[in-house]
Amino acid sequence: MWTDDWLTDTRTSYDTVAVGYADFVRDAIDRLQYLRAALTLFADGVRAAGGGPVADIGCGPGHVTAHLHALGVDAFGIDLSPGMVAVARRDHPGLRFEVGSMTDLDLPAESVAGMLAWQSLIHIPDDEVPSVIEHFHRALRPLDEGPCPPSSAGPGGRLATRRWVRGRGPDAAGPR
């Protein structure tokens, strides 16, 4: 059950475990083939769509942001926890990390080529998820003409979240 101040609780929890969590996930990408493959596919998709900045939302200690950077993606990280951002900056100097919340995403409209929210949406109460996805949608730039997996883009080349966000459910058919 979520308290009225779930955002503060989440921030405090991750501030408390930041160093230990970073140690725990430090070699996760090297150990987990599915994670490497998923991130490689994501990076390939960003490049195929013309490249540009990618926001790793809920970046934690920055290991995914750093891996995307190593794959040639212009990635930066945003996390709710100042403790996690401090660890990310320590472990990955030269990369951009900032404190922020996906519930009030401080990114200009159409400013990023891609977004990743690896293991971070799980902390958002169900009734807040549509608002968060709206923030993501607003910040994502429309795709250039070109290859795009049909599961990730809809009419107009944007992330296909609109039907779900508007409360019509993932099975709704046709444009809204």
Side-chain angles (χ1 to χ4, degrees):
M1 181 168 126
W2 292 98
T3 66
D4 289 336
D5 207 2
W6 59 269
L7 207 54
T8 299
D9 290 347
T10 303
R11 179 184 302 113
T12 301
S13 295
Y14 276 101
D15 281 345
T16 302
V17 301
V19 172
Y21 183 80
D23 291 341
F24 180 72
V25 299
R26 188 169 319 283
D27 68 342
I29 296 170
D30 292 334
R31 283 185 296 107
L32 302 171
Q33 181 179 2
Y34 79 91
L35 181 52
R36 282 192 316 278
L39 293 173
T40 299
L41 284 171
F42 178 78
D44 290 348
V46 169
R47 284 191 298 275
V54 167
D56 180 6
I57 310 296
C59 68
H63 63 298
V64 170
T65 311
H67 186 76
L68 290 172
H69 180 77
L71 292 173
V73 173
D74 180 17
F76 64 95
I78 299 172
D79 200 275
L80 178 66
S81 164
M84 285 290 187
V85 169
V87 169
R89 288 174 177 161
R90 179 199 72 197
D91 289 353
H92 310 287
L95 296 182
R96 178 177 142 207
F97 295 98
E98 58 192 57
V99 176
S101 174
M102 69 177 73
T103 61
D104 187 25
L105 200 55
D106 189 22
L107 292 173
E110 300 182 2
S111 63
V112 294
M115 288 186 152
L116 185 69
W118 196 270
Q119 299 293 328
S120 57
L121 276 172
I122 62 172
H123 299 295
I124 305 298
D126 291 349
D127 61 331
E128 296 288 331
V129 171
S131 174
V132 168
I133 299 298
E134 285 283 357
H135 287 293
F136 290 2
H137 185 265
R138 179 192 52 77
L140 283 165
R141 72 166 195 234
L143 292 174
D144 297 330
E145 293 298 320
C148 183
S151 63
S152 63
R158 284 219 181 178
L159 187 67
T161 57
R162 187 173 57 142
R163 281 184 269 141
W164 184 81
V165 168
R166 302 276 189 244
R168 293 182 174 92
D171 297 327
R176 304 275 184 215

